[in-house]
Amino acid sequence: MKITIIVGTRPEIIKMSPIIYECEKSNLDYFILHTGQHYTYDMDRVFFEQLELPQPKFNLNIGSSSHAVQTGKMLIGIEEILQREKPDTVLVEGDTNTVLAGALAAVKLHIKIGHVEAGLRSYDRFMPEEINRVLTDHCSDFLFAPTEKSKQNLLKESIQEDKIFVTGNTIVDAVFKSRQLSAKKSNILKELKLKKEKYFLVTIHRQENSDNRSRFDGILTGLKQLIKKYNIPVIYPIHPRAQKKIQEFNLNSEGITLIKPLDFLDFLQLQENARVVLTDSGGVQEESCILGVPCVTLRNNTERPETLDIGANILAGTNPEKIVDCVALMDTKSEKWTNPFGLGDTGQKIVKIVKEVI
Ligand code: UD1
Ligand code: UDP
């Protein structure tokens, strides 16, 4: 049995890492195919180095472009490699253009597809990620749903029950593996002169926020109001997409501490010690919930409703006053919740299923 693991972006590298470790442990015949959707050192290579992952056998170096051009080039490149390498199974993770291209290329070649993190739904078709998720789930033969809720989403779309496996989310494995190492090795709090729970941590990069001037401006205004109200810093490791848009839209980010994207250990350390995390990222909503840090989501919906149900997260949208109100609400949270995304054995479970069933 031969497996192709497709990755392309920062979160896919992090969330595929537990599966890659398991493939290594089980001595499986597998290789990594990187589309090159992310390519700058701090969005890509740093994670291979820090997580000690093997080199991709192929990197298509597709880079950035419009959705159609990027996805089209990936489709062509992935098909060529799959035809040459003839794997039995392709594994994709999440909801990026890399995932959609991998699934489309594989399904037309009659190669089995396993979708890691299947069944997430925001029910917002304006998001490119929602289109990618729905299409990938419907191409897949094995759907690794993180929770019972994501399984139910798939059943509602008439996906056959015997294709669905509730496994938890590999992000729990990744966080558990790196949490202690992060506490031991990361000096980021010292470097930024921060004290535990005396700063807010922010990430914003989603297309619907960063590419929309008024939504992005609303968020930045809310962040500046937080600095004034609490008199503590707001730390924003900025994604290259958002960095470009701040310049293009000439937005005012004065007072907000913008820093370059961080490696995983530094970012975990900043999350773990933040007073509240504010984000539009999918992975960061999950991680803050796993780490027990309250989260304010800068969106009108989420495909991670489990985090809302247990009180770990709240939807604020992009209105400045609403953001400040939601932070005040989450800041008073003292109860602890149980992480709904599994016990940290998801990578192991998925590889076992791949070996036994596929
Ligand atoms: C992509 C995913 C998004 C995911 C995010 C993870 C899609 C449709 N979107 O968004 O779901 O949450 O990755 O971070 O697949 N850029 C660089 N260096 C890089 C990568 C990107 O400078 O290594 C800049 C380029 O200017 C590029 C922009 O970021 O145009 C956007 O990159 P792209 O890969 O198109 O989408 P992301 O916003 O990263
Ligand atoms: N992350 C990181 N450094 C940063 C910001 C995020 O290592 O500066 C990690 C974070 O821990 C999480 C993942 O990147 O595991 C989330 O990726 P991102 O927000 O880019 O994408 P999404 O999850 O929204 O698809």
Side-chain angles (χ1 to χ4, degrees):
M1 181 182 60
K2 189 170 178 179
I3 299 168
T4 303
I5 294 180
I6 299 183
V7 298
T9 65
R10 166 169 76 185
E12 292 163 77
I13 302 165
I14 295 169
K15 285 179 168 176
M16 273 299 194
S17 64
I19 294 181
I20 296 170
Y21 299 141
E22 278 304 312
C23 287
E24 288 280 328
K25 247 209 248 161
S26 312
N27 243 329
L28 289 181
D29 183 11
Y30 83 98
F31 66 90
I32 301 170
L33 163 50
H34 194 322
T35 60
Q37 179 170 347
H38 284 178
Y39 46 88
T40 39
Y41 176 78
D42 49 21
M43 296 298 289
D44 173 25
R45 280 244 52 83
V46 67
F47 299 103
F48 279 89
E49 290 170 10
Q50 196 166 59
L51 299 170
E52 298 180 338
L53 296 170
Q55 296 296 318
K57 183 169 178 185
F58 302 97
N59 192 325
L60 300 173
N61 293 310
I62 302 292
S64 312
S65 31
S66 69
H67 284 279
V69 171
Q70 188 180 55
T71 313
K73 282 186 182 167
M74 286 176 188
L75 256 174
I76 296 168
I78 294 171
E79 183 183 63
E80 216 176 285
I81 289 169
L82 295 183
Q83 275 174 325
R84 205 174 336 137
E85 293 285 328
K86 299 192 175 16
D88 307 283
T89 305
V90 161
L91 294 179
V92 290
E93 192 288 327
D95 53 22
T96 65
N97 287 345
T98 292
V99 173
L100 176 64
L104 279 181
V107 73
K108 300 274 179 86
L109 294 172
H110 308 299
I111 297 170
K112 297 265 183 257
I113 303 164
H115 186 200
V116 180
E117 207 177 67
L120 274 63
R121 294 290 181 271
S122 64
Y123 296 103
D124 176 0
R125 291 281 171 111
F126 188 72
M127 294 175 65
E129 292 85 1
E130 183 75 355
I131 309 294
N132 293 343
R133 286 178 201 123
V134 171
L135 295 177
T136 302
D137 281 337
H138 285 262
C139 289
S140 294
D141 301 277
F142 302 95
L143 296 105
F144 302 113
T147 64
E148 192 53 43
K149 211 167 204 147
S150 35
K151 176 178 173 174
Q152 290 307 319
N153 291 339
L154 295 169
L155 291 176
K156 274 187 243 158
E157 292 175 18
S158 303
I159 289 179
Q160 267 171 252
E161 188 162 11
D162 60 358
K163 290 184 178 179
I164 308 169
F165 304 85
V166 177
T167 55
N169 193 312
T170 54
I171 194 63
V172 182
D173 313 25
V175 169
F176 285 4
K177 182 171 159 57
S178 293
R179 192 174 186 175
Q180 278 173 353
L181 199 63
S182 153
K184 208 166 115 189
K185 284 207 162 168
S186 170
N187 281 320
I188 193 73
L189 291 185
K190 249 193 213 152
E191 278 169 32
L192 298 175
K193 300 187 175 54
L194 299 172
K195 294 223 160 56
K196 188 173 169 58
E197 290 175 21
K198 292 277 188 295
Y199 63 92
F200 296 113
L201 176 66
V202 178
T203 79
I204 309 146
H205 75 279
R206 290 294 179 144
Q207 181 180 309
E208 69 268 24
N209 282 338
S210 57
D211 290 19
N212 180 314
R213 192 182 195 285
S214 97
R215 289 180 70 85
F216 204 173
D217 191 43
I219 295 174
L220 294 177
T221 304
L223 297 180
K224 285 179 275 185
Q225 289 179 8
L226 284 179
I227 297 171
K228 231 192 224 157
K229 176 174 170 188
Y230 291 87
N231 198 24
I232 59 174
V234 166
I235 311 295
Y236 177 8
I238 189 161
H239 188 290
R241 170 184 214 115
Q243 176 78 65
K244 259 174 118 178
K245 289 293 170 185
I246 285 195
Q247 278 148 9
E248 189 186 317
F249 294 146
N250 198 17
L251 295 174
N252 177 1
S253 60
E254 226 179 287
I256 302 166
T257 310
L258 299 184
I259 56 173
K260 67 176 184 44
L262 294 172
D263 63 41
F264 192 47
L265 296 185
D266 281 346
F267 190 73
L268 276 183
Q269 206 39 219
L270 273 193
Q271 273 190 104
E272 177 134 38
N273 291 291
R275 179 150 173 179
V276 174
V277 169
L278 295 94
T279 192
D280 61 9
S281 157
V284 175
Q285 287 175 66
E286 292 159 353
E287 283 170 353
S288 56
C289 171
I290 296 162
L291 294 167
V293 178
C295 181
V296 172
T297 292
L298 304 164
R299 290 174 42 191
N300 302 324
N301 53 55
T302 178
E303 56 294 310
R304 275 95 176 163
E306 298 85 350
T307 59
L308 303 177
D309 296 346
I310 57 174
N313 188 10
I314 191 169
L315 295 177
T318 59
N319 173 283
E321 285 72 39
K322 181 94 191 279
I323 293 172
V324 174
D325 287 350
C326 286
V327 168
L329 204 69
M330 294 310 281
D331 195 34
T332 61
K333 288 259 164 193
S334 56
E335 78 261 23
K336 286 292 163 210
W337 46 82
T338 308
N339 137 48
F341 299 114
L343 302 173
D345 56 356
T346 299
Q348 207 182 335
K349 278 187 185 154
I350 290 176
V351 171
K352 189 161 178 272
I353 295 165
V354 170
K355 280 200 297 196
E356 287 176 7
V357 187
I358 302 186

